[in-house]
């Protein structure tokens, strides 16, 4: 809604990382800096009907359109026909009035008026009445012939089209049994006092849209587990609109850059262009994204400056952050340092890798405790993009070091320690053997000690052998063993590492990568985050929260295993947003699987024909009606007809022809590579959507809304 977040202020932050909920500050906090000065109240916003007739429809006040475009005569043809009918009617009236057609049209007047009226006042009145009747008949007849009512209606509709689009949607009557302001479900469960308190918070302007969505989410959890009802009721009685607040204490974002509908969990992306390239039912309608379509994951491709960050990534991340405050989602946004993904205050955790002032660190092992699982994630990130290296062998090599190290020290190695072990530094290996023996007991031959020593021996034998992934792993680890990253990826427990295992909670996270000075390390960390997200999302026991990972730039991030993982996210109630400048930033063997793994595909203005060809193949073809018109010159046999044709050719410069129209069904690409490269205007994109339930929206040309 236009005034999202303006009906309530946000209490003082309790810190960046979610902690115990604090009681909200009483009173009304100041409005967010972006808030407009006027707009619908929360009560009016709640009462607006929401309907959808396909994925991606902005449901707020949506009115479905007809599926087929009605036959419409061009306005120019209507105007010309109306003028011709008017001139013909005036000509006929002139001929009748001046007696050129005789007096036959006056016989009803003579028949129904007595002869004694001749020259009297009643005769004059009767004459003008009859003239009026004849004129009215001519107006009606020629008006229907010239289609005057249709032309008048079209002109009136064209004048009213602007106010119709800008008017507020109709709202149902307030106070009814289904009025959302009265919290009918809570009231129906017998919590009348609680419902009255919530209704008063809405009416008094103390509740915003985030509060409403959050408390409604809490009520849904009460319906699933009735044992929570008492705690829910007590929280509402004590805190009103601040009940069940997010652990951070935030009740809104500090600023919003897009338009959101938290009741439908949607963010407005743009408007479907009103052109022949789009289906008639979707032309001119607003387009939005929500977890129902983001759960199939989205791939967006466009050159630098096309607006991927401003018009797509930021609005989507902002929407998921608002849903996290409402207890509905967990979001992780990954971008280069300085990317415009929102202020720090909009997140619970901000990880600035390579920045000494960063409060949080990144858990290199993703919260894993099993050495084999941790090794698999690291191997995918370190060497998953190197052709010719078997990721499984790399995972085995890492596990041969991680297992003994964890058994010896109760933790995984830090970056310098892992690099020394991969390089087979003798001092590091000897120390690990010695500490492993001390940690597992001095009795020789114990099972744990024997297994771990065997792992170390195997790694020592394989080091330097043909096909050994150890050197490649060591080279990649060296990218992180730099002075800029000193103090990061700590495993000793002295730092504050963030782990993607936190997706079990409604958390808002932003990870800033050091793209400018450490591009290779940033890409490796991006691969690591994607691999960890795939694993963490699938391993969640509670999947009620929608988990989402957004990459502002996913170049050189994808590997065969992560692409397969993306395809499995929709069943885990999770999704990813991947943006690329070009598909060339993805290995050629992965371009087709990637387009098949995601359910939503978006091509921004300015894509190349090579990229457009991949999208065209993914979107396939459709049957369309093709009309072939053949012009044939007319040869007249009669002298008069030949003379008329010659005169017409002299005037128009064209010979008289007849048109033969052939209509047939042909199969054509929905969008060709050339169309995508040359016919998408700036500020537009072509977007296809697939919902988690399997509904599909054909590729639509969308005028992107941008950010406020």
């Amino acid at each position: 809604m236009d005034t999202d977040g303006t009906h309530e202020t946000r209490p003082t932050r309790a810190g960046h990382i979610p902690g115990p909920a604090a009681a909200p500050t009483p009173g009304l906090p100041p409005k967010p800096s972006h808030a407009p000065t006027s707009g619908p109240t929360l009560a009016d916003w709640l009462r607006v009907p929401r309907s959808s007739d396909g994925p991606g429809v902005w449901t707020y006040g949506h009115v479905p359109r007809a599926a087929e475009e009605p036959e419409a005569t061009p306005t120019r043809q209507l105007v010309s026909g109306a003028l011709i009918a008017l001139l013909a009617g005036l000509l006929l009236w002139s001929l009748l009035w001046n007696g050129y057609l005789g007096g036959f049209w006056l016989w009803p007047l003579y028949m129904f008026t007595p002869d004694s009226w001749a020259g009297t006042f009643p005769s004059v009145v009767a004459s003008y009445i009859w003239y009026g009747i004849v004129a009215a008949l001519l107006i009606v007849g020629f008006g229907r012939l010239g289609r005057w009512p249709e032309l008048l209606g079209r002109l009136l509709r064209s004048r009213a089209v602007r106010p119709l689009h800008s008017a507020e949607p109709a709202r149902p009557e307030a106070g009814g049994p289904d009025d959302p302001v009265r919290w009918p479900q809570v009231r129906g469960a017998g919590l009348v006092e609680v419902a009255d308190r919530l209704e008063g918070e809405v009416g008094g302007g103390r509740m915003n849209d985030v509060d409403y969505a959050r408390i409604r989410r809490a009520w849904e959890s009460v319906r699933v587990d009735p044992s929570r009802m008492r705690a829910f009721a007590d929280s509402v009685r004590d805190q009103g609109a601040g009940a069940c607040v997010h652990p951070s204490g935030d009740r809104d974002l500090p600023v919003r850059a897009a338009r959101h509908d938290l009741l439908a969990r949607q963010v407005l992306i743009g408007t479907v262009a009103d052109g022949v390239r789009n289906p008639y039912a979707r032309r001119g309608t607003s387009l939005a994204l929500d977890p129902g379509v983001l759960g199939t994951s989205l791939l967006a491709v466009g050159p630098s400056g096309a607006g991927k960050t401003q018009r797509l990534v930021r609005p989507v991340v902002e929407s998921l952050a608002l849903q996290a405050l409402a207890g509905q989602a967990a979001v992780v946004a990954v971008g280069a340092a300085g990317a415009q993904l929102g202020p720090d205050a909009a997140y619970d955790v901000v990880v600035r890798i390579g920045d000494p002032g960063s409060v949080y660190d990144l858990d290199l092992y993703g919260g894993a405790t099993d050495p084999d699982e941790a090794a698999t994630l690291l191997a995918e990130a370190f060497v998953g993009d190197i052709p010719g290296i078997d990721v499984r062998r790399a995972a085995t090599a890492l596990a041969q070091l991680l297992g003994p190290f964890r058994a010896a020290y109760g933790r995984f190695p830090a970056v310098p320690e892992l690099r020394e072990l991969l390089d087979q530094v003798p001092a590091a290996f000897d120390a690990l053997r010695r500490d492993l023996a001390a940690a597992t007991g001095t009795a020789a031959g114990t099972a744990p000690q024997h297994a771990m020593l065997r792992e170390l021996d195997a790694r020592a034998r394989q080091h330097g052998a043909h096909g050994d992934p150890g050197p490649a792993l060591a080279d990649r680890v060296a990218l992180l063993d730099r002075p800029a990253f000193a103090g990061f990826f700590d495993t000793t427990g002295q730092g504050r590492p963030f782990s993607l295992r936190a997706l079990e909670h409604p958390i808002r996270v932003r990870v800033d990568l050091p793209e400018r000075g450490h591009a290779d390390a940033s890409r490796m960390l991006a691969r690591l985050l994607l691999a960890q997200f795939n694993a963490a999302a699938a391993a969640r026991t509670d999947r009620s929260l929608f988990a989402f990972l957004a990459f502002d730039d996913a170049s050189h991030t994808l590997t065969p295993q992560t692409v397969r993982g993306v395809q499995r996210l929709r069943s885990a109630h999770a999704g990813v947003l991947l943006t690329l400048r070009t598909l060339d930033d993805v290995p050629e063997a992965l371009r087709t699987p990637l387009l098949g793994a995601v359910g939503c595909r978006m091509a921004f203005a300015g894509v190349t024909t090579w990229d457009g060809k991949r999208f065209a193949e993914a979107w396939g073809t459709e049957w369309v009606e093709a009309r072939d018109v053949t012009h044939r010159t007319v040869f007249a046999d009669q002298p008069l007809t030949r003379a008329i044709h010659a005169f017409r050719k002299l005037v128009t410069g064209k010979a008289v022809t007849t048109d033969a129209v052939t209509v047939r069904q042909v199969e054509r690409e929905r969008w060709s590579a050339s169309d995508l490269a040359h016919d998408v205007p700036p500020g537009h994109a072509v977007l296809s959507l697939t919902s988690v339930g399997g509904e599909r929206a054909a590729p639509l040309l969308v005028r992107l809304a941008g950010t406020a």
Side-chain angles (χ1 to χ4, degrees):
M1 70 188 198
D2 290 335
T3 55
D4 289 349
T6 64
H7 309 297
E8 175 61 295
T9 52
R10 37 193 304 272
T12 304
R13 287 181 58 87
H16 287 281
I17 194 165
T25 303
L28 297 178
K31 296 180 180 180
S33 59
H34 73 288
T37 57
S38 63
T41 64
L42 178 62
D44 291 338
W45 176 77
L46 288 172
R47 292 180 180 127
V48 172
R50 290 160 172 82
S51 63
S52 175
D53 51 2
V57 171
W58 174 254
T59 61
Y60 181 83
H62 173 67
V63 179
R65 300 184 64 183
E68 298 290 338
E69 183 176 8
E71 292 289 338
T73 305
T75 302
R76 181 178 179 181
Q77 183 176 340
L78 282 178
V79 171
S80 61
L83 289 176
I84 292 173
L86 176 62
L87 294 175
L90 292 175
L91 176 62
L92 179 58
W93 173 255
S94 177
L95 294 175
L96 292 174
W97 183 261
N98 293 291
Y100 290 107
L101 298 181
F104 72 92
W105 63 289
L106 297 174
W107 68 264
L109 176 64
Y110 300 146
M111 181 178 295
F112 292 104
T113 56
D115 294 339
S116 60
W117 284 13
T120 64
F121 178 75
S123 175
V124 174
V125 173
S127 298
Y128 278 102
I129 291 176
W130 177 244
Y131 298 156
I133 293 174
V134 173
L137 291 174
L138 290 177
I139 291 173
V140 171
F142 281 94
R144 295 189 62 180
L145 183 65
R147 302 168 73 173
W148 295 352
E150 183 177 348
L151 176 61
L152 181 62
R154 182 172 299 184
L155 293 176
L156 292 176
R157 284 194 300 271
S158 65
R159 289 175 62 87
V161 89
R162 190 177 189 88
L164 281 177
H165 280 286
S166 61
E168 280 295 323
R171 301 177 177 86
E173 185 177 354
D178 296 327
D179 185 0
V181 175
R182 304 192 71 237
W183 296 82
Q185 294 182 342
V186 177
R187 196 176 298 275
L191 301 179
V192 178
E193 181 184 355
V194 173
D196 288 341
R197 175 67 188 276
L198 293 174
E199 182 179 357
E201 296 288 282
V202 174
R206 294 180 295 275
M207 181 181 290
N208 66 8
D209 56 341
V210 178
D211 296 331
Y212 189 93
R214 185 187 66 250
I215 295 174
R216 190 177 70 163
R217 161 75 176 179
W219 172 248
E220 291 173 355
S221 68
V222 169
R223 296 178 61 186
V224 175
D225 184 3
S227 65
R228 303 177 181 177
M229 184 174 295
R230 182 174 180 179
F232 172 80
D234 292 342
S235 180
V236 172
R237 290 192 191 98
D238 295 341
Q239 304 179 31
C244 312
V245 73
H246 185 265
S248 67
D250 290 349
R251 292 168 56 186
D252 198 1
L253 297 179
V255 64
R256 299 190 188 187
R259 188 180 178 190
H260 303 273
D261 182 5
L262 284 177
L263 204 61
R265 301 178 66 180
Q266 291 186 317
V267 56
L268 183 65
I269 295 298
T271 304
V272 179
D274 190 3
V276 295
R277 298 304 303 258
N278 291 322
Y280 178 75
R282 297 299 298 268
R283 294 177 193 171
T285 61
S286 298
L287 188 136
L289 298 178
D290 57 62
V293 295
L294 293 174
T296 64
S297 298
L298 191 155
L299 172 67
V301 178
S304 299
K308 299 188 296 296
T309 300
Q310 180 187 18
R311 294 170 173 168
L312 177 64
V313 181
R314 169 110 188 240
V316 169
V317 170
E318 189 175 89
S319 175
L320 271 299
L322 288 169
Q323 293 177 43
L325 291 179
Q328 299 170 333
V331 59
V332 180
V334 181
Q340 300 299 315
L341 298 179
D344 293 355
Y347 296 91
D348 304 308
V349 174
V350 177
V351 182
R352 296 187 179 90
I353 299 176
D355 184 351
S358 178
V359 178
Y360 296 96
D361 192 2
L362 181 66
D363 188 342
L364 198 64
Y365 301 95
T369 57
D370 179 66
D372 292 324
E373 179 185 358
T376 300
L377 296 177
L378 285 181
E380 193 66 38
F382 289 166
V383 297
D385 64 322
I386 302 178
I389 292 187
D390 189 346
V391 177
R392 290 175 296 180
R393 291 192 62 184
T396 300
L398 284 170
Q400 290 170 343
L401 299 174
L402 298 183
F405 195 97
R406 183 172 180 81
Y409 303 109
R411 61 178 177 85
F412 288 126
V415 169
E417 296 168 329
L418 180 59
R419 182 182 181 184
E420 289 180 345
L421 292 175
L422 286 170
D423 283 335
Q424 295 280 307
V425 175
F429 243 74
D430 293 342
L432 178 56
R433 283 179 176 275
R434 182 174 59 254
D435 294 337
L436 178 62
T440 56
T442 56
T446 58
Q449 181 192 36
H450 178 72
M452 293 305 169
L453 289 175
R454 186 178 59 188
E455 290 280 87
L456 283 179
D457 292 339
R459 177 87 291 270
R461 289 194 303 270
Q462 295 168 7
H463 181 71
H466 177 70
D468 176 33
L473 289 169
D475 290 342
R476 287 301 175 87
V477 173
L479 294 175
L480 302 180
D481 190 18
R482 304 292 302 157
F485 303 128
F488 279 86
F489 318 115
D490 180 71
T491 60
T492 62
Q494 298 178 0
R496 303 180 68 181
F498 165 73
S499 167
L500 283 171
R501 298 287 178 175
L503 293 178
E504 297 275 0
H505 308 284
I507 194 170
R508 303 165 294 164
V509 182
R510 194 187 77 211
V511 180
D512 293 345
L513 301 176
E515 179 71 30
R516 180 170 299 178
H518 303 273
D520 291 336
S522 295
R523 294 166 182 170
M524 188 170 65
L525 291 172
R527 288 193 296 272
L528 178 64
L529 287 168
L530 181 56
Q532 290 181 353
F533 178 84
N534 287 342
R540 292 184 301 165
T541 55
D542 180 8
R543 296 182 177 179
S544 60
L545 293 179
F546 178 66
F548 195 73
L549 174 66
F551 279 101
D552 187 50
D553 183 4
S555 301
H556 307 286
T557 299
L558 297 158
T559 64
Q561 185 60 35
T562 54
V563 169
R564 286 190 289 269
V566 167
Q567 196 169 20
R568 293 191 291 264
L569 286 176
R570 69 178 66 183
S571 62
H573 198 204
V576 296
L577 167 58
L578 307 170
T579 65
L580 298 168
R581 286 184 291 270
T582 172
L583 286 173
D584 290 341
D585 291 335
V586 178
E588 184 175 1
L590 291 181
R591 294 169 194 170
T592 299
L594 174 61
L595 287 167
V598 298
C600 306
R601 309 175 187 96
M602 192 170 187
F604 280 76
V607 297
T608 64
T609 52
W610 294 273
D611 288 342
K613 180 181 179 182
R614 295 286 185 177
F615 277 97
E617 292 173 351
W619 284 327
T621 59
E622 62 179 344
W623 289 98
V624 297
E625 185 180 88
R627 300 171 65 89
D628 297 328
V629 181
T630 304
H631 303 284
R632 296 190 303 172
T633 303
V634 177
F635 298 98
D637 297 329
Q638 302 298 324
L640 179 60
T641 307
R642 285 199 299 269
I644 294 174
H645 287 186
F647 177 76
R648 180 175 174 181
K649 183 176 181 181
L650 180 65
V651 172
T652 63
K654 297 180 181 180
V656 178
T657 61
T658 59
D659 296 339
V661 181
T662 303
V663 180
R664 54 195 177 93
Q665 295 289 325
V666 297
E667 193 175 11
R668 290 181 180 171
E669 291 178 322
R670 299 178 186 272
W671 280 85
S672 68
S674 179
D675 291 340
L676 290 170
H678 304 293
D679 292 347
V680 180
H684 289 64
V686 180
L687 171 64
S688 67
L689 298 173
T690 303
S691 71
V692 176
E695 293 181 283
R696 295 180 181 273
L700 301 170
L701 178 62
V702 180
R703 177 170 54 84
L704 300 173
T707 54

